Amino acid sequence: MAEIEFRAVSKNGLKVTTIGLGGTGLGNMYRAVDTDAAVNTVQAAYDNGIRYFDTAPVYGFGVSETRLGLAIKSLPRADIVISSKIGYDLVPIPPEELKPALWDQPGSFRAEFDYSRDAVMRSLEGTLKRLDTDYVDMVSIHDPDEAIHFGPGEDPYARSRFREAMDGAYPALDELRAQGVIKAVGVGINQWQMLSDFVVAGAFDYFLLAGRYTLLEQEPLATLLPLCEQRGTRIIIGGPYNSGILATGAVKGATFNTREAPEPVLERVRRIEAICASHKVSLPAAALQFPLGHPLVSSVIPGARSAEELKQNLGYLREDIPPALWADLKQAGLIEATAPTP
């Protein structure tokens, strides 16, 4: 059974809880939640021992940060760690121009990629205003691949703003870290390939990797993670359920990395589910606990839209998982033989 603990996330000793709250749900991803429910979710997270909250300007075009700001008013600021991101410039637009894809009832902005020094400073100023706080603890460079979601065989470098991010955003964040304005600098992205370049190009404290090191995907094990170990860069896992399928199981219409899951993925999940069932373990519990077996992983940050969903995630974190489950999954070739397990 995993309990919430604190793990280091930066070289200066900043620590986060092993489970955090991802902020996409607070920003009305896919469907709107009301502000009270969002604030109650944050409060429930705090009441249950979670001390790490992740957000970003682009989550609901300002909505996620604003709601997190409302929620933390009643919390002791020094007790919690907040991470946000830079890279999307929020440009005000008239509401009738709104054409959001991911966000239901977003703020009246459009998002434009900008990794310049000026944009970093503008973005952080906006973040502090929306959060109504004096500082954020951790800041990452967001989606330097323009948030393209890659399927098998697609080029993860199809769109790259790596150079702009390293020439503009990174020196600005590095300077803010040196001044003590922020405590940790990272990159937040949906792929591991470009992170293999970032890890050697700068001194990054952490990478927020959405999916890609989960019960279903362990490609970074042989490539990215050894580099991170050499450089002292920690990992935070966003999307531990691979955007749905590891929470719902292999049901019709299940989503895998924001797309409908293809048949080979559904079949693999069915096999994982069968082994979980043989050990009386729920699939989401195995999915949530698996990444935390790796010593570089500081936290998993599933999103939650309500206090109920949040408590469900905490239940999965605390579920008993016998070591034999991991052994059986390795034996069946369903997780990498070399993957460290909880």
Side-chain angles (χ1 to χ4, degrees), residues 4 10 41 44 64 72 94 113 117 126 148 154-155 169 233 248 255 258 290 302 307:
I4 296 177
S10 75
T41 304
S64 175
I72 64 171
F113 291 103
R117 181 188 180 84
I148 303 302
E154 288 179 64
D155 176 13
T233 300
T248 62
T255 50
T258 73
F290 169 74

Side-chain angles (χ1 to χ4, degrees), residues 112-177:
E112 292 181 353
F113 291 103
D114 193 338
Y115 298 90
S116 67
R117 181 188 180 84
D118 284 355
V120 168
M121 298 310 182
R122 252 195 332 270
S123 183
L124 282 176
E125 196 181 325
T127 287
L128 294 176
K129 207 171 281 181
R130 286 185 290 273
L131 287 168
D132 195 14
T133 187
D134 296 334
Y135 65 98
V136 282
D137 305 88
M138 303 160 59
V139 180
S140 62
I141 296 168
H142 202 185
D143 290 339
D145 58 358
E146 297 194 6
I148 303 302
H149 290 270
F150 302 99
E154 288 179 64
D155 176 13
Y157 294 91
R159 296 193 201 173
S160 171
R161 293 188 177 249
F162 175 83
R163 201 63 269 155
E164 287 162 67
M166 284 309 301
D167 291 348
Y170 175 74
L173 293 175
D174 189 34
E175 200 177 295
L176 291 171
R177 177 175 54 187

Side-chain angles (χ1 to χ4, degrees), residues 18 26 39 54 64 91 161 164 200 207 213 217 249 257 287 322 324 335:
T18 42
L26 304 180
V39 168
D54 176 66
S64 175
V91 181
R161 293 188 177 249
E164 287 162 67
V200 292
F207 292 145
Y213 188 70
E217 303 180 280
N257 296 344
I335 57 176

Side-chain angles (χ1 to χ4, degrees), residues 74-258:
S74 58
L75 306 181
R77 179 65 184 90
D79 282 5
I80 62 173
V81 171
I82 295 175
S83 57
S84 195
K85 307 176 184 75
I86 58 87
Y88 287 93
D89 217 4
L90 295 185
V91 181
I93 56 169
E96 60 272 16
E97 266 186 48
L98 283 180
K99 293 191 190 76
L102 283 178
W103 312 103
D104 192 5
Q105 298 175 27
S108 298
F109 299 94
R110 71 168 182 272
E112 292 181 353
F113 291 103
D114 193 338
Y115 298 90
S116 67
R117 181 188 180 84
D118 284 355
V120 168
M121 298 310 182
R122 252 195 332 270
S123 183
L124 282 176
E125 196 181 325
T127 287
L128 294 176
K129 207 171 281 181
R130 286 185 290 273
L131 287 168
D132 195 14
T133 187
D134 296 334
Y135 65 98
V136 282
D137 305 88
M138 303 160 59
V139 180
S140 62
I141 296 168
H142 202 185
D143 290 339
D145 58 358
E146 297 194 6
I148 303 302
H149 290 270
F150 302 99
E154 288 179 64
D155 176 13
Y157 294 91
R159 296 193 201 173
S160 171
R161 293 188 177 249
F162 175 83
R163 201 63 269 155
E164 287 162 67
M166 284 309 301
D167 291 348
Y170 175 74
L173 293 175
D174 189 34
E175 200 177 295
L176 291 171
R177 177 175 54 187
Q179 293 164 357
V181 176
I182 58 178
K183 298 188 185 84
V185 173
V187 179
I189 198 170
N190 299 311
Q191 55 146 301
W192 60 267
Q193 289 90 336
M194 212 180 275
L195 290 179
S196 301
D197 297 333
F198 277 109
V199 74
V200 292
F204 288 98
D205 296 291
Y206 71 101
F207 292 145
L208 203 173
L209 182 60
R212 308 308 181 268
Y213 188 70
T214 66
L215 197 58
L216 267 177
E217 303 180 280
Q218 294 107 50
E219 279 187 333
L221 202 55
T223 47
L224 173 66
L225 294 180
L227 283 173
C228 289
E229 201 162 3
Q230 287 166 23
R231 307 279 295 190
T233 300
R234 310 291 297 215
I235 305 291
I236 291 165
I237 299 294
Y241 301 129
N242 277 115
S243 86
I245 195 164
L246 291 175
T248 62
V251 296
K252 186 174 165 50
T255 50
F256 169 67
N257 296 344
T258 73

